[in-house]
Every structure is written in C-alpha cells, then in structure tokens.
Amino acid sequence: LWNTHIGSLNEKLANFFLLRCIKPEGAKKLQIGMEELAELINETRINVSRKLNELQDKGVIQLKRKEIFIPEMTDFLKELQA
C-alpha cells in the first residue's frame, strides 16, 4: 500500500507525499526536482512533469525550480483520487 513504485501515477504521487509528512493536512513544501521525483517513484520525468503542471493549472500545487508547494494537502489528495 505504501510502496511508491506501485500503482498509477496518481497513486504513486499521493503515496510519495504522504510518506513525507507527519499530518496529511495543511500546507507542505518539498525541495525536489521533477527528475529526482520521477526516479524515486519509478516514472518518466515527462509523465511527472505533465501531471504536476496539470495540478498547478488546477491551483492544487505551485511549482518553482526544484520545489513543490502544496497549499492544502487534503485538496491535493482529493484531486489525485478524482
């Protein structure tokens, strides 16, 4: 269940972020590049990039150079489950 290498891209992203936070709510900031994130969840960089940009377009996350900011973790998880 918690393996970040198993499942769909959405499941991998959700598990990756959940494993790195104490509480699955509130704002989160992760210092990581898309290429490194892609390697850690066993996905291609282009797939990760597309998904993260899609989430940014929906206002769920904010992307900066080697940084992912999630204003509200519960909204992020809901969007990945949709």
Side-chain angles (χ1 to χ4, degrees):
L1 177 65
W2 290 102
N3 190 332
T4 57
H5 297 286
I6 297 174
S8 69
L9 176 56
N10 285 6
E11 292 168 330
K12 290 177 185 181
L13 287 171
N15 288 339
F16 180 84
F17 284 96
L18 282 170
L19 284 171
R20 284 153 181 84
C21 64
I22 296 170
K23 294 182 182 179
E25 57 193 27
K28 309 294 177 201
K29 187 189 318 186
L30 186 64
Q31 302 289 328
I32 191 168
M34 287 192 202
E35 193 167 327
E36 184 180 355
L37 175 58
E39 286 179 25
L40 289 171
I41 64 171
N42 198 31
E43 277 288 339
T44 64
R45 186 204 54 81
I46 194 73
N47 285 345
V48 170
S49 177
R50 282 183 186 145
K51 187 61 179 181
L52 292 180
N53 281 302
E54 175 188 316
L55 292 169
Q56 180 172 248
D57 290 345
K58 292 180 178 183
V60 178
I61 65 171
Q62 297 169 12
L63 300 172
K64 294 183 181 176
R65 185 170 175 84
K66 295 196 176 189
E67 180 182 292
I68 301 169
F69 176 70
I70 303 170
E72 179 50 59
M73 187 67 168
T74 54
D75 293 342
F76 173 75
L77 295 173
K78 284 179 191 174
E79 186 62 39
L80 289 176
Q81 292 173 351

